[in-house]
Amino acid sequence: MFRRTFWFTAGAAAGVWATTKVNRKLKQLTPESLAAQAADKAVEAGHRLKDFALDVKAGMLQREDELNDALGLHSDPDRPDNVRALPGQRRLRAIQNDSKTIRPNNSYDRNEDH
């Protein structure tokens, strides 16, 4: 008698547990629930992208400052929009080197090949 009662109770508990699990899964698969899950994932992805973009921007600014220090570029507060320029001698060398570069007279049009 005790065995039958034990197995009956175990079976009833397993049935209740399985029914509860199935009902929860069915509620998760309703269109409203799927839409809410998709919206939550999209918002989370948006936050991650925003954080990534802010990290990239901070890294860019840090690297720009490092390069400006390495090249000796200084910001001049008297210039409009805080434009940065090379110091005088470096600027002249850069202009001279730029005028020495060889530029072809004819331009290549890749559409001419077809």
Side-chain angles (χ1 to χ4, degrees), residues 34-66:
L34 291 175
Q37 289 175 7
D40 290 342
K41 297 264 184 186
V43 168
E44 183 180 333
H47 288 303
R48 287 184 184 170
L49 283 174
K50 180 182 174 187
D51 292 341
F52 175 72
L54 291 174
D55 289 344
V56 168
K57 186 174 181 178
M60 286 172 39
L61 291 174
Q62 179 183 0
R63 182 64 178 149
E64 183 180 356
D65 289 340
E66 290 173 3

Side-chain angles (χ1 to χ4, degrees), residues 6-110:
F6 171 77
W7 286 114
F8 177 77
T9 307
V16 169
W17 176 80
T19 304
T20 305
K21 277 287 226 196
V22 168
N23 284 335
R24 283 184 190 164
K25 190 54 97 174
L26 287 175
K27 284 181 183 179
Q28 286 180 350
L29 295 176
T30 61
E32 295 85 12
S33 177
L34 291 175
Q37 289 175 7
D40 290 342
K41 297 264 184 186
V43 168
E44 183 180 333
H47 288 303
R48 287 184 184 170
L49 283 174
K50 180 182 174 187
D51 292 341
F52 175 72
L54 291 174
D55 289 344
V56 168
K57 186 174 181 178
M60 286 172 39
L61 291 174
Q62 179 183 0
R63 182 64 178 149
E64 183 180 356
D65 289 340
E66 290 173 3
L67 290 173
N68 286 337
D69 290 341
L71 293 173
L73 297 175
H74 304 288
S75 61
D76 187 6
D78 295 334
R79 296 185 72 144
D81 296 328
N82 202 10
V83 176
R84 297 178 183 202
L86 288 171
Q89 293 178 351
R90 287 190 182 182
R91 188 175 337 142
L92 290 176
R93 272 189 263 144
I95 292 171
Q96 290 170 353
N97 288 339
D98 188 42
S99 64
K100 291 180 184 176
T101 57
I102 300 172
R103 294 188 178 98
N105 292 338
N106 57 350
S107 63
Y108 176 73
D109 185 8
R110 60 186 191 138

